[in-house]
Amino acid sequence: MASPQWKSFPRDHPQTSRSSKVPFQRSVSYPSTNTNGVNSRETGVVEKLLHSYGFIKCAERDARLFFHYSQYDGNIENMKVGDEVEFESTLDRRTRKPIACHIVKLRPGSVSGEILSEQRVIGNILSEPKSSRNKLSGTPNPADSGKVSYEMNGECFFLSFSLDDLDINETGDLKKGDKVSFYIGTDKRNGNIRARKIVVEEAMPLEKCQGVVCSMKESFGFIERADLVKEIFFHYSEFTGNINDLQLGDDVEFGVQMRNGKEVAINISKLPQGTVVFEDVKKAKTVGTVHKPLTRFSTRKSNDPLPGKLIYDDVDGGQREIPFGDKDQVGDYTLLVEDLVQFNIATDRRDLLQRATNIELLEESFVKSGEKREHGIVAAVKEGFGFIKCVDRDARMFFHFSEMLKTSHEIKISDEVEFTVISGNVGEMKGRSFQDPTVAQRQIAVRIKPLMKGTVSFQTIIPGTNEGFIQKVPINQWGKSPGKSKDKEADLGSIQYEMNGEKVTITYHAKDTDIKQVPDEGDKVEFNIAEIKRNNVQMAINIRVLDRDIDTRKQGFIATLKENFGFIETAAHDREVFFHYSEFEGDLNSLELGDEIEYAVTRKGAKVCAETIKKLPRGTIPGETIQPAQHQGKIIRPLRNIDPTQSEYEGLVHLIMEGDTNEGAIYPYGITGLADKKDFLQKGDIVRFQIGVSKRNGVERACIISAIRKYVRANVDSIKGQFGFIDYEVGEENKKLFFHMSEVHEGCELQPGDEVQFVIVQNQRSGKYSACNVRRISEMQRPQHLLRKPQTDSNGGPKLILIRKPRGPDGTKGFTLPRQPIDNSVAPP
């Protein structure tokens, strides 16, 4: 049976196929058109439309009424949110709540929720509205409304308004003080009044301000104002020119406008540089002392823009304290407490606060404080820092460029400077504390002052000249590589001279000799004596050759033979001399390691070389008297041709004593001390040797040295000219072992497959392994895979060669079942 309410509606009510709005899906308790209640027609606006119903916001009262689509007198498809409608208000029979019925759509503009005054009113903007809106309703927030004032009948009234209340022709750029006209609108629902359809009649003249651009971000920035101690925001769109022309520090002029309750800069234009002045600086210099220096290199950010403090005497006889910031110092060098400085006083025009600026450290400060100043020479210059070679200490001193007292000085190598050294995390200097700006316990140079050329001297020259004879020349002469050794004693030569009737020896550096005429052993020289300031050691300087030994021929031994050059070991066994094969007078094929030769020393540029080399009969150069006892020792330093990184030429053998390996004597040796001149003795090798006493100077030396090594056997893999490879893998790379043909014993010709024995050595420079002392054990053997070749019999069938015997499942060399001949006449089962 149908619902009685449903019968009250016409049977031919228009239906719609719209899925979102279905008016007749359920029976409802809506009133019929024949209700006995008294109904009045109202107007409103459609606020929301749902599946089969909606809501209307009343225009004459503060109410929101429900309605069903069936109460709309028309096609529901044509209704949308915001449509103006007329309807009757009645009560729902079931819920007894007010609802809208008999809804009729009106023309746009027919419904108004307020009553406007007949005439426009003139007033002034007191505050600007904000553009924020309620997230739910989308209407302006009442708290963000603007205020406008007007007079009527001698009384002053105030009305609120939002951006929606502006006239449609207005842009919304209202600002405080603008003269406007507007209607007074009265809300029909609650009687509230507000300003409506506001029109600007007379804009308030825009106040022009000046400032300096102090920050620039991606699309906005900040300007430091010249009239107030504050910064103001600006957007790049407010700049009247090309934004790419605007830079930090530019002087600008702008207007101020309120937006969202905050001041922003508008209509920004550039001014000539120097137009904006924040403070007045006195020209007269003031002298004072540092009371609180700036804390540099601190991880804590200070909130005080002027953390430094100075004290100076005021004109009235009292003392005043004045602050300063990190940009007020001329330069960025370290200031200490009680430093004497001069500065200018700057007064801010905005708040009349004073600060010290253009602060400079006075020279009298070092005298007053008794600060210890040191001298040195700039030894190295990097990017932003460098190192100073000190007069009074061995260590080189690190420094920052920012520590230069004279900021305009360009730092260069060899500049002579005066400086102060600080060390440790916190230290004391004449009662004044300071903090190391880098790392704890690291010494650095600060407060650096450039000096005139010739001011800094590392040594004190004793008056008078001396004469003597070269006793020993430095191992590292001019142009010779010193290697990577840090032992500076090896770089010193010695001169023997007489003083007060006694023979005295004094050392010298190669740099203190004349590069055009380098002194050699036995030369008579003239020199001065200088005392080094940092350690009071005396050394010979300004060395000049007076008389050179007429016999320039030297004797020595062949120490190294390369492809087209070699090295000669001097007769004193203390250094090596380069020579080229073209300088040898004789058959090069007869030249062997350890041969005695005679040569002349010449200099080609900065390099000492041997020339006119002649071979001498064996025994020409006095050797050593060999003691019969044999000893065991350990190589603690090889010859320089084995380890080119060392500066000393001679090798050293440490005698191993029975029961204690650390108490034995140390004996030097040269190429002549090796039993096998091709032996490749390395550091750590255990050797046998005998002790020999030199016939020249009576020095004990190690002689007839032979290594106690384990020989390795393997086959030659390949020969490639002057070198080859042995089928032996060593090291992490797992490559064939390299050897040079000069390492083959007695020069025998090797072929691939020869069995050889050899010693494995490691190159000290490259770290690579190679074979030395290569000796052939047997003739060439045919490789295994070539010993037998497959052959064919007379019938042309191949022959099988057994290369591996079978092994059965039980682990035996064959199957346990007996073998039986196959009878071809019997069929298999």
Side-chain angles (χ1 to χ4, degrees), residues 356-374:
T357 188
N358 301 329
I359 303 171
E360 295 178 288
L361 183 64
L362 295 177
E363 188 71 24
E364 295 85 352
S365 180
F366 301 124
V367 179
K368 176 185 175 183
S369 63
E371 184 176 321
K372 182 182 178 181
R373 303 285 284 173
E374 298 187 24

Side-chain angles (χ1 to χ4, degrees), residues 129-145:
K130 297 181 181 179
S131 59
S132 61
R133 291 180 176 271
N134 190 293
K135 293 182 179 180
L136 297 178
S137 63
T139 58
N141 292 323
D144 297 331
S145 300

Side-chain angles (χ1 to χ4, degrees), residues 642 680 682 759-770:
I642 304 300
F680 202 90
Q682 292 182 295
V759 176
I760 300 174
V761 295
Q762 185 178 18
N763 189 296
Q764 299 296 316
R765 178 180 295 178
S766 64
K768 295 183 178 180
Y769 294 92
S770 61

Side-chain angles (χ1 to χ4, degrees), residues 431-499:
R432 301 181 296 167
S433 63
F434 56 84
Q435 186 173 4
D436 185 347
T438 51
V439 182
Q441 304 303 323
R442 183 180 185 181
Q443 291 183 325
I444 64 170
V446 297
R447 301 147 74 92
I448 303 170
K449 173 186 174 184
L451 301 175
M452 297 290 293
K453 283 290 183 182
T455 304
V456 177
S457 175
F458 289 86
Q459 56 195 10
T460 303
I461 300 176
I462 300 174
T465 58
N466 301 272
E467 293 182 2
F469 293 89
I470 298 294
Q471 188 180 37
K472 178 186 174 184
V473 297
I475 291 178
N476 298 316
Q477 287 277 32
W478 288 100
K480 196 168 187 63
S481 172
K484 297 182 180 179
S485 174
K486 296 184 179 180
D487 186 5
K488 300 300 181 182
E489 295 298 327
D491 295 336
L492 298 178
S494 62
I495 301 174
Q496 191 177 68
Y497 70 104
E498 289 189 2
M499 185 176 65

Side-chain angles (χ1 to χ4, degrees), residues 247-306:
Q247 298 179 355
L248 287 174
D250 284 349
D251 295 351
V252 292
E253 187 179 55
F254 57 92
V256 180
Q257 188 179 66
M258 292 295 295
R259 290 181 182 173
N260 296 329
K262 296 181 180 180
E263 290 185 337
V264 296
I266 61 173
N267 300 333
I268 304 168
S269 59
K270 284 183 69 172
L271 295 175
Q273 202 69 19
T275 304
V276 179
V277 179
F278 289 96
E279 56 191 8
D280 298 317
V281 181
K282 289 185 179 181
K283 294 183 178 180
K285 288 286 186 179
T286 304
V287 177
T289 57
V290 177
H291 179 63
K292 180 184 177 183
L294 298 177
T295 304
R296 301 187 182 277
F297 308 98
S298 176
T299 56
R300 295 182 179 180
K301 187 175 180 181
S302 175
N303 296 324
D304 188 359
L306 303 174

Side-chain angles (χ1 to χ4, degrees), residues 146-206:
K147 297 293 182 183
V148 61
S149 65
Y150 69 98
E151 289 187 6
M152 182 176 290
N153 300 327
E155 294 185 21
C156 186
F157 298 92
F158 303 90
L159 297 178
S160 61
F161 70 95
S162 67
L163 294 177
D164 293 342
D165 294 324
L166 301 181
D167 193 87
I168 58 175
N169 296 322
E170 287 295 325
T171 60
D173 292 336
L174 289 178
K175 58 184 180 296
K176 183 179 179 180
D178 285 349
K179 185 177 181 180
V180 295
S181 64
F182 55 91
Y183 290 103
I184 299 176
T186 304
D187 196 317
K188 294 180 181 180
R189 297 168 295 180
N190 50 29
N192 293 337
I193 61 175
R194 59 190 298 111
R196 295 280 291 154
K197 298 184 180 181
I198 302 172
V199 176
V200 177
E201 300 292 341
E202 184 178 344
M204 184 73 174
L206 187 64

Side-chain angles (χ1 to χ4, degrees), residues 27 75 88-89 99-100 112 125 128 164 256 287 362 378 398 412 419 467 587 626 697 743 747-748 764 784 798:
S27 61
N75 188 357
E88 290 182 6
S89 176
I99 61 173
S112 175
I125 300 295
E128 304 165 12
D164 293 342
V256 180
V287 177
L362 295 177
V378 177
F398 172 88
K412 300 184 295 295
F419 56 92
E467 293 182 2
D587 185 11
I626 308 298
N697 51 24
E743 295 292 341
C748 64
Q764 299 296 316
Q784 185 71 22

